[in-house]
C-alpha cells in the first residue's frame, strides 16, 4: 500500500456482508480481536472476504506469541499488535512476527499462510518475511518514551506506529481531545520520528473534520471510528426530532 494517505476502519462486527462492503470502499480493514467479539473462526471467514484492493489486517487480542502466531497463520496482509509500552515489548512483538533469522515465529506449513502444503516452505517463509505488514500500537507515556529507540532499531521490521488516542489520554487522566497540548506534542514527536524512518503513523478520526486535521499534522494511516460506530452514526441520523 504505497498511497500517501490511507483511510480504513476497525471491524468489531462479525457480519461478512458489512466486512465486504467496507473492503470495497476503504483502503484497509482491521479485524479487531482486542475489543471485538471475534473468534478465530469468524476472523478466518472475514479475512477471506476482504477484497484484494483493501489491506487485510488483524489486531491481535494481546501481546502473546501464540496469539500473534495464530493470527498470522490465517494469512492476513499483516497484524496490529497492542500493549506496546516499552522497548522490550516491541522487541518481543517483532520476534514473534517473523520467521528465523529475523524472529522466532513458529512454523507450520499446513496453514493458510503456506497454502496448506509443505512444498517450497523456505521460499514461502522468506516471501512472508519480506511482505508482512507489522503495526505496533504504542500505549501510554512509557511507550512514548521508548519510541525513538524502537523506530531506530526496528525500522526495517515495522510498517506502522499507531497512536492510541484513548489509551494515551487515559494513562494521563486526560480527555481524548486532539486539541489538548499534551496530545499534540506526543503526536508531533511520533510523526517526526517515524518520518525519518519512513514508517507510517496511524490514529483515530471520529468525524470528517478530524480526518482533515490528522492529514494536516502528518498522520497518514487514518482510522475512521470502527464499523459499529459508523453503523450507529448512520442510523442515529435517520430519525429526526
Amino acid at each position: 500500500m504505497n498511497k500517501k494517505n490511507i483511510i480504513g476502519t476497525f471491524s468489531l462486527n462479525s457480519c461478512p456482508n458489512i466486512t465486504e462492503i467496507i473492503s470495497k470502499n476503504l483502503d484497509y480493514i482491521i479485524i479487531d480481536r482486542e475489543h471485538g467479539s471475534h473468534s478465530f473462526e469468524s476472523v478466518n471467514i472475514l479475512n477471506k472476504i476482504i477484497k484484494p484492493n483493501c489491506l487485510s489486517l488483524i489486531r491481535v487480542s494481546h501481546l502473546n506469541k501464540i496469539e500473534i502466531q495464530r493470527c498470522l497463520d490465517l494469512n492476513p496482509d499483516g497484524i496490529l499488535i497492542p500493549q506496546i509500552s516499552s522497548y522490550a515489548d516491541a522487541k518481543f512483538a517483532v520476534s514473534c512476527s517473523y520467521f528465523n533469522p529475523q524472529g522466532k515465529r513458529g512454523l507450520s506449513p499446513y496453514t493458510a499462510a503456506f497454502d496448506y502444503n509443505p512444498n517450497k516452505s523456505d521460499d514461502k517463509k522468506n516471501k512472508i518475511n519480506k511482505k508482512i505488514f507489522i503495526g505496533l500500537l504504542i500505549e501510554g507515556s512509557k511507550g512514548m518514551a521508548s519510541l525513538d529507540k524502537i523506530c531506530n532499531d526496528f525500522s526495517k521490521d515495522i510498517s506502522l506506529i499507531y497512536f492510541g488516542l484513548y489509551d494515551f489520554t487515559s494513562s494521563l487522566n486526560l480527555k481524548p481531545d486532539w486539541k489538548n497540548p499534551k496530545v499534540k506534542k506526543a503526536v508531533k514527536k511520533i510523526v517526526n520520528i517515524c518520518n525519518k524512518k519512513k514508517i507510517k503513523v496511524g490514529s483515530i478520526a471520529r468525524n470528517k473534520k478530524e480526518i482533515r486535521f490528522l492529514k494536516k499534522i502528518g498522520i497518514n494511516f487514518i482510522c475512521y471510528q470502527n464499523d459499529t460506530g459508523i453503523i450507529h452514526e448512520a442510523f442515529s441520523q435517520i430519525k429526526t426530532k
Side-chain angles (χ1 to χ4, degrees), residues 113-131:
F114 281 76
D115 196 29
Y116 308 104
N117 73 84
N119 298 332
K120 299 182 179 180
S121 288
D122 286 341
D123 290 341
K124 294 175 183 176
K125 181 181 73 173
N126 292 333
K127 185 177 180 181
I128 290 170
N129 272 358
K130 288 180 180 179
K131 74 178 182 66

Side-chain angles (χ1 to χ4, degrees), residues 60-100:
V60 303
S61 63
H62 59 298
L63 184 58
N64 174 273
K65 181 180 180 180
I66 300 302
E67 168 72 10
I68 291 171
Q69 181 177 294
R70 290 187 72 190
C71 287
L72 287 172
D73 281 345
L74 298 178
N75 201 33
D77 293 313
I79 56 174
L80 179 61
I81 305 173
Q83 303 167 4
I84 305 299
S85 300
S86 67
Y87 177 84
D89 288 343
K91 184 177 181 180
F92 178 73
V94 170
S95 176
C96 294
S97 302
Y98 286 92
F99 296 114
N100 184 55

Side-chain angles (χ1 to χ4, degrees), residues 22 71 90 103 128-129 151 155 158 160-162 174 180 206 208 222:
I22 292 171
C71 287
I128 290 170
N129 272 358
C151 291
S155 61
I158 57 178
L160 168 72
I161 293 293
Y162 190 94
L174 301 172
N180 187 292
R206 294 160 295 188
K208 291 182 179 180
I222 298 169

Side-chain angles (χ1 to χ4, degrees), residues 190-208:
I190 292 177
V191 170
N192 287 340
I193 291 172
C194 290
N195 280 349
K196 293 176 183 177
K197 298 298 181 180
K198 298 182 179 180
I199 299 170
K200 285 191 174 295
V201 182
S203 198
I204 190 168
R206 294 160 295 188
N207 51 58
K208 291 182 179 180

Side-chain angles (χ1 to χ4, degrees), residues 5-12 18 22 25-30 32 59 80 162-163 165-166 178 201-215 219-237:
N5 294 306
I6 62 175
I7 298 179
T9 194
F10 283 99
S11 165
L12 275 69
I18 292 173
I22 292 171
N25 292 280
L26 296 180
D27 298 314
Y28 69 85
I29 183 169
I30 304 172
D32 193 346
R59 172 153 67 174
L80 179 61
Y162 190 94
F163 174 70
L165 174 65
Y166 288 95
W178 281 114
V201 182
S203 198
I204 190 168
R206 294 160 295 188
N207 51 58
K208 291 182 179 180
K209 185 177 180 180
E210 287 188 352
I211 291 176
R212 293 190 292 269
F213 171 77
L214 294 187
K215 288 180 178 179
I219 291 180
N220 48 22
F221 186 96
I222 298 169
C223 181
Y224 186 72
Q225 299 191 25
N226 56 53
D227 57 355
T228 53
I230 293 169
I231 292 168
H232 178 273
E233 181 180 66
F235 278 98
S236 66
Q237 293 175 1

Side-chain angles (χ1 to χ4, degrees), residues 21 42 56 58 82 91 123:
I21 291 168
S42 69
S56 171
I58 300 171
K91 184 177 181 180
D123 290 341

